[in-house]
Amino acid sequence: MRHCDNTCDAGRGPLCNGRRLTGVYYPNAGWDAAAGGELRVWPRAAAATASGSTPPGVEPLVDVEPHADRLILFFADIRVPHEVLPSFRERFA
């Protein structure tokens, strides 16, 4: 499900948890694209709806495959809504 790891906006908000960055490291050797499990990153506009639906015309920014030795760092707040797509084999992060 699409989410943000910290629901702050400019460091303020009722559900701020203090997290500034999120880091994800993938140790998945021999990962095949057919196995899925990508990290999908959405633009900030996708965080704007409480229902979780995507506003019309908003497309994902990127899908990042969980290849071995890949490190991803991104802002934890509403600037970077994200989700993990279904995986069809065991995946570590």
Side-chain angles (χ1 to χ4, degrees), residues 2 6 9 33-34 37 40 50-51 55 58-59 67 72 75-78 80 83:
R2 183 176 48 224
N6 187 351
D9 184 4
R40 174 165 285 172
S51 68
V58 175
E59 298 291 328
H67 290 290
I72 303 158
F75 289 110
D77 62 18
I78 67 168
V80 188
E83 65 184 300

Side-chain angles (χ1 to χ4, degrees), residues 64-85:
V64 181
E65 292 182 355
H67 290 290
D69 209 28
R70 180 171 279 173
L71 174 66
I72 303 158
L73 298 172
F74 53 92
F75 289 110
D77 62 18
I78 67 168
R79 290 177 279 188
V80 188
H82 57 281
E83 65 184 300
V84 177
L85 299 180

Side-chain angles (χ1 to χ4, degrees), residues 31 33-38 85-91:
W31 193 262
E38 297 91 346
L85 299 180
S87 180
F88 304 105
R89 71 170 248 209
E90 191 171 47
R91 168 190 168 282

